[in-house]
Amino acid sequence: MFRPLSRWALAGVVGLIVLSLAGSAAAQEAAGAYGQAVPRLPGVEPATGTPAFPAATHAVEQVRQLVQCGKTMYAVGTFSVVTQGGHTFTRHNAFSFSSTGPFTLTSWNPGVNGVVNSIAFNSGRCADAYIGGSFTAVGGKKAVNLAEVSTSGTGALVSGFRHFANKPVETLASYQNHVLAGGFFTSINGSTADPYMTSLNAATGVNDGLLALRISGRITYPGVSGNNTKVFNQQISHSGKLDLVEGDFATVGGRRRQQIVMLNLASRPTATVTGWTSPRWDGSRGYPPHGYYYNCLDREPFYIRAAAWSPDDSTIYLASTGLRPWNYQNGFPLKGLCDAAAAFTASQTAPTLKWINYTGCDSLYSVAADVSGAYFGGHQRYSQNPDGCNTPGPGAIADPGLEGLNPSTGAVLLNSSSTALYSRGRGLGADDLLITSAGLWIASDNYAGTDTCDTVANHSGICFLPYGP
């Protein structure tokens, strides 16, 4: 049930977080329902020694995605220099390091000559990595927007996997020997059958036919700026059977879908579009009084930038940009899903809104979740701010760059001083969040000299908040 966030009582939340941090018996018992022995929150003290960017560089350095495979972390994005332990290393848009302290940087440096947006591994096999982005060469060899590279040594191009997409690749994921690629492309490795999102054979890179989605159209409404069809992001469920896909499209699999779609990867012979959607973003009920404000500012038609599954796959968390609805420019409380964190049930028949938490007109770009929290990254200044836009409204809580929210209510996780538990330097905005068994990893940038994570300096690009004992 929706309630304006500025009216939420916070005292109970403070108590909950204090108890969780203390590892109370009651909290431990509650966590048993989720199959986790002890509910834990990521700590507020960043781990020392993780690789970072210099705070000041000629161009903005940014990590676009962090992925763990085995005992190694892989970072991709747009950067040229990484620092660690007082030493400086040249790394062109991809590097790796140990997932545990002292987080030693490896020699892996594929030498990609353009932006790398995404990295994936074939069903957890760590010998090779698939990378996608906007580039034309890897290690001096021609590879256009897509490649498979070895994770040994410096990272040589794997020649047996085809490596050509006619436009940028934005997202890669793996499902049972299939590499799921999404982006702006209409042709990939010789196939034009499945534009914007294609399933590739993990060994050859050839279209293997798992995805036949017929993605088409774009988001349209009065005054909307020019925008093109694309797939931007995706997240496979913990069950491994479902895939959330975000992008700019109007139909997927012959069904009306905007902003986000849920795929059933386990259906055969091809993946299918599930019934999970909502008029809060797909416009199927139109605008008020009978519908919802489902489109955002005219210059940001695609606004649901990231999603995350709860550990039990029962809830889906959404992170959005968009400022505010194009046809609701004035007045409070804010409406729609623009510039907000939100939670919906994962029901494939009638998903419902569980809660929404407005930043007050600042963008969110990433989200991750565990049993104890839902974590959102962006360049936001506030949380629980439905009655303010670029200023704190009544009840708003200062929560820059990174917010942790109660997964059941959406209320900000607070410390014993009743201030936000987490924060980070805003920069461009945290582009990726990753929960591992060890804690929360944050991928960010050094825009305008940003380098703090929970007020601790020297964490441009990467911050790691480990779970407590």
Side-chain angles (χ1 to χ4, degrees):
M1 177 179 179
F2 171 78
R3 289 182 291 171
L5 294 171
S6 61
R7 300 185 180 94
W8 286 4
L10 300 178
V13 179
V14 175
L16 173 63
I17 301 311
V18 171
L19 287 174
S20 295
L21 290 172
S24 71
Q28 294 179 35
E29 181 179 351
Y34 293 89
Q36 181 174 320
V38 179
R40 297 178 296 172
L41 287 167
V44 297
E45 188 72 25
T48 59
T50 50
F53 301 137
T57 52
H58 176 70
V60 175
E61 309 260 286
Q62 182 183 35
V63 174
R64 300 296 308 277
Q65 188 177 23
L66 282 167
V67 170
Q68 181 173 353
C69 196
K71 297 181 179 180
T72 304
M73 298 294 302
Y74 294 83
V76 298
T78 174
F79 46 79
S80 60
V81 61
V82 179
T83 62
Q84 186 182 47
H87 301 284
T88 300
F89 303 86
T90 299
R91 294 291 186 270
H92 293 294
N93 307 314
F95 69 91
S96 66
F97 58 97
S98 173
S99 62
T100 58
F103 308 105
T104 304
L105 208 69
T106 73
S107 61
W108 192 67
N109 181 21
V112 188
N113 74 341
V115 179
V116 182
N117 293 318
S118 189
I119 182 169
F121 295 85
N122 179 22
S123 303
R125 299 167 192 165
C126 303
D128 301 291
Y130 302 88
I131 57 174
S134 181
F135 51 82
T136 58
V138 175
K141 296 182 178 180
K142 185 176 180 180
V144 182
N145 301 327
L146 176 71
E148 180 182 6
V149 295
S150 170
T151 57
S152 300
T154 57
L157 185 70
V158 177
S159 60
F161 183 87
R162 296 188 183 184
H163 35 264
F164 177 84
N166 68 334
K167 291 183 180 180
V169 173
E170 294 285 333
T171 177
L172 295 172
S174 145
Y175 171 73
Q176 296 183 355
N177 295 318
H178 306 274
V179 177
L180 311 182
F184 288 85
F185 59 83
T186 54
S187 173
I188 187 167
N189 289 343
S191 173
T192 58
D194 301 302
Y196 313 114
M197 191 165 186
T198 307
S199 176
L200 306 174
N201 179 281
T204 65
V206 173
N207 185 344
D208 60 26
L210 178 67
L211 299 179
L213 300 173
R214 308 189 309 282
I215 295 172
S216 64
R218 60 187 181 89
I219 300 164
T220 59
Y221 50 93
V224 66
S225 62
N227 57 312
N228 298 307
T229 309
K230 65 180 176 183
V231 166
F232 181 75
N233 208 350
Q234 64 181 315
Q235 305 82 28
I236 293 180
S237 63
H238 298 286
S239 72
K241 297 179 180 180
L242 302 171
D243 192 14
L244 296 170
V245 178
E246 297 85 56
D248 192 333
F249 39 69
T251 63
V252 182
R255 305 178 73 172
R256 177 178 182 154
R257 292 293 184 270
Q258 290 188 169
Q259 302 287 342
I260 186 169
V261 61
M262 182 193 289
L263 306 179
N264 180 355
L265 300 176
S267 63
R268 291 293 184 271
T270 60
T272 55
V273 175
T274 73
W276 185 85
T277 189
S278 170
R280 291 181 180 271
W281 64 75
D282 68 18
S284 55
R285 293 186 189 172
Y287 295 113
H290 304 295
Y292 301 91
Y293 292 99
Y294 63 90
N295 281 320
C296 294
L297 193 67
D298 53 11
R299 65 175 181 268
E300 291 188 281
F302 165 55
Y303 57 86
I304 297 180
R305 297 298 175 91
W309 298 86
S310 64
D312 63 358
D313 288 341
S314 67
T315 300
I316 293 168
Y317 304 100
L318 304 180
S320 70
T321 180
L323 191 66
R324 52 190 173 186
W326 69 277
N327 53 349
Y328 189 83
Q329 296 292 317
N330 300 303
F332 297 105
L334 295 169
K335 303 291 185 180
L337 293 176
C338 315
D339 280 354
F344 285 80
T345 62
S347 168
Q348 295 182 27
T349 53
T352 58
L353 176 69
K354 298 179 72 172
W355 51 259
I356 185 167
N357 182 329
Y358 290 99
T359 63
C361 302
D362 283 334
S363 297
L364 298 173
Y365 299 121
S366 54
V367 55
D370 59 17
V371 170
S372 302
Y375 312 96
F376 293 81
H379 63 224
Q380 79 277 12
R381 289 162 284 184
Y382 310 103
S383 187
Q384 294 185 193
N385 193 24
D387 297 311
C389 184
N390 294 315
T391 57
I397 295 175
D399 202 358
L402 176 68
E403 61 181 3
L405 305 181
N406 183 304
S408 298
T409 66
V412 180
L413 302 182
L414 303 173
N415 58 32
S416 58
S417 299
S418 297
T419 58
L421 195 61
Y422 303 105
S423 68
R424 53 168 292 278
R426 295 171 65 212
L428 294 175
D431 218 38
D432 189 33
L433 298 179
L434 173 68
I435 289 285
T436 70
S437 60
L440 173 65
W441 291 89
I442 303 153
S444 62
D445 58 84
N446 67 350
Y447 176 75
T450 299
D451 75 340
T452 59
C453 185
D454 276 337
T455 73
V456 179
N458 301 316
H459 290 281
S460 291
I462 293 176
C463 176
F464 174 47
L465 300 178
Y467 289 126

